[in-house]
Every structure is written in structure tokens, then in C-alpha cells.
Amino acid sequence: QSVLTQPPSASGTPGQRVTISCSGSYSNVGSDNVYWYQQVPGTAPKLLIYNDYRRPSGVPARFSGSKSGSSASLDISGLQSEDAADYYCAAWDARLQGYVFGSGTTVDVL
Amino acid sequence: EAKVVESGGGLVQPGGPLRLSCEGTGFMLSNYWMHWVRQAPGKGPVWVARMNEDGRRTDHADSVRGRFTISRDTARNTLYLQLNSLRAEDSALYYCVKDFVGPEESWGQGTLVTVSS
């Protein structure tokens, strides 16, 4: 059972906006940065968002992150077919003294 | 271009040891936090361990603490993960990650560990 909770699935048509939530607690999301990963089956996870909302070089601007209290969100605006993948949130957990990942959300582009 | 390449995975019996290696090219391990992350087939990624830039600080996940040890050889620019007392639930693809969760993050292709009799 994951420390961070995400909805198992989300979907949208091309051009739509999709939002994925990540719910944690005071010891992780509520007290430290949140990170978001995209994983296409058969490949390594790819960092999309770091430090709550920052994008690494090369990540499209349609991906954005936000946080409020112990919950965070990843928004994908202008959904594209290549966005079909699994998405994971992650954070440092001060109580466990380690990084924890979310349960993962599979995004389908209809 | 910074790159990490893992090796050392394989089939091992329960209770046995294994040592994974991660060679860095195009950068110095001593300039970054280095991490190991694993992922079992069909499951999400799980953080395993990390070492800081000067090698003096290491952290291990609760599930592996006391059984796994992260270390490095700066002369070889290589990171290691010593796996002892292996269990079936340790079976996974093990990734070496440079600058995990940072803007210069880089993952290897992974090395597969299978624990089975």
C-alpha cells in the first residue's frame, strides 16, 4: 500500500485537460517538495515536475504542478496522444527517512 | 552526455547475495547525490537507497535497511549496491539514478534481479 494516494486512472480526448491528484500527509507532501514522473511501459520513469512546480529542461509547458497543504496535483493541458502513460508522484518522507512514490495513475487518451 | 549503466543483476537463491554496479560516464559521481530505485514487474517504482556527493551520508529504505548497502569507488566512478539476505519480494528491475528528483536527473536502463529457488 503506497504512502501517497493517486486515482488509478484518468482519461481525456486530445486537447482536453486532465488533472491527477496526489494525497499525502504532514510528513511528506505537507512538509517537503513534490515530484511527478511519467512512465511509458518498457522505459524508465521520466521526471516531469520537481520542487512542486518546476519543469526540467525539455518538458513541455502543458505539464504543470501545484500543491496545497498535504495534496498536490499534476495538470496536463492540451492532452496529446503521446501523453498516454503511467504517472507517479513522489516526495521525501521525514518520518520514514526515505522517498515515497504514489500508487500511480494510468492516463488514457481516448 | 551524462550516462549511467547498471550491471550485476541475475538469478539468485533466497538468502543469497548479489552486488549491483553502476558506472557513470560524462560526469563525476562525487558531484551528485546518487540513488538506487527498483521496480517490480507491473508495479510502481520504489526508492531503495542514496549516497551524497562526498560519500559521507547514506540513507536506505526501511524495507532494505540492514540487508542492502550503497557504496562507491570514486576512482572507478562507479556506484554499488550490495544486496544480502535476498527475498522473493526483492525481485525487480534495479535502476541507478543520478540526481534523483533534480533538474539533471538521469536514469540507467536497469539491471534485473530475480530471487528464486
Side-chain angles (χ1 to χ4, degrees), chain A residues 35 37 39 47 50 92 98 101, chain B residues 39 45 47 50 100-102 105:
Chain A
Y35 310 90
Y37 285 86
Q39 187 174 30
L47 185 65
Y50 69 100
W92 176 261
F101 281 90
Chain B
Q39 188 168 25
W47 177 82
R50 69 175 181 176
F100 176 64
V101 302
E105 186 183 83

Side-chain angles (χ1 to χ4, degrees), chain A residues 7-29:
Chain A
S9 63
S11 63
T13 57
Q16 278 191 329
R17 175 178 172 171
V18 168
T19 299
I20 301 169
S21 62
C22 173
S23 177
S25 69
Y26 71 95
S27 64
N28 42 65
V29 175

Side-chain angles (χ1 to χ4, degrees), chain A residues 12-18 62 76-81 83 109-110:
Chain A
T13 57
Q16 278 191 329
R17 175 178 172 171
V18 168
R62 65 178 183 276
I76 310 174
S77 61
L79 193 66
Q80 297 186 8
S81 58
D83 298 335
V109 181
L110 305 173

Side-chain angles (χ1 to χ4, degrees), chain B:
Chain B
E1 179 194 358
K3 193 175 174 183
V4 293
V5 178
E6 305 93 336
S7 61
L11 174 64
V12 60
Q13 292 193 336
L18 204 61
R19 189 177 80 159
L20 308 182
S21 300
C22 165
E23 182 179 6
T25 58
F27 73 101
M28 300 297 294
L29 259 64
S30 54
N31 288 340
Y32 296 91
W33 281 84
M34 295 296 297
H35 299 247
W36 288 96
V37 175
R38 70 184 181 184
Q39 188 168 25
K43 303 292 186 182
V46 175
W47 177 82
V48 174
R50 69 175 181 176
M51 174 178 280
N52 76 334
E53 296 95 330
D54 65 15
R56 294 183 181 184
R57 176 171 176 174
T58 63
D59 293 296
H60 297 76
D62 277 350
S63 58
V64 307
R65 195 170 295 135
R67 299 188 301 122
F68 293 7
T69 304
I70 189 172
S71 65
R72 74 181 185 187
D73 182 333
T74 52
R76 287 184 161 81
N77 210 40
T78 298
L79 184 75
Y80 301 103
L81 186 67
Q82 179 67 43
L83 290 63
N84 293 331
S85 303
L86 280 162
R87 307 166 181 166
E89 55 265 35
D90 295 319
S91 296
L93 188 62
Y94 283 73
Y95 292 103
C96 171
V97 189
K98 160 186 163 284
D99 196 32
F100 176 64
V101 302
E104 297 181 52
E105 186 183 83
S106 178
W107 293 58
Q109 83 291 345
T111 186
L112 185 63
V113 173
T114 303
V115 184
S116 175
S117 55

Side-chain angles (χ1 to χ4, degrees), chain A residues 5-96:
Chain A
T5 302
Q6 300 177 231
S9 63
S11 63
T13 57
Q16 278 191 329
R17 175 178 172 171
V18 168
T19 299
I20 301 169
S21 62
C22 173
S23 177
S25 69
Y26 71 95
S27 64
N28 42 65
V29 175
S31 59
D32 214 317
N33 293 314
V34 173
Y35 310 90
W36 288 93
Y37 285 86
Q38 178 193 61
Q39 187 174 30
V40 174
T43 69
K46 173 188 172 184
L47 185 65
L48 288 179
I49 298 290
Y50 69 100
N51 292 5
D52 296 341
Y53 62 89
R54 296 186 183 278
R55 284 188 309 276
S57 174
V59 173
R62 65 178 183 276
F63 293 97
S64 63
S66 62
K67 189 175 80 173
S68 177
S70 297
S71 293
S73 295
L74 174 71
D75 279 340
I76 310 174
S77 61
L79 193 66
Q80 297 186 8
S81 58
E82 59 262 37
D83 298 335
D86 294 322
Y87 292 81
Y88 298 93
C89 58
W92 176 261
D93 191 293
R95 184 178 62 83
L96 297 174

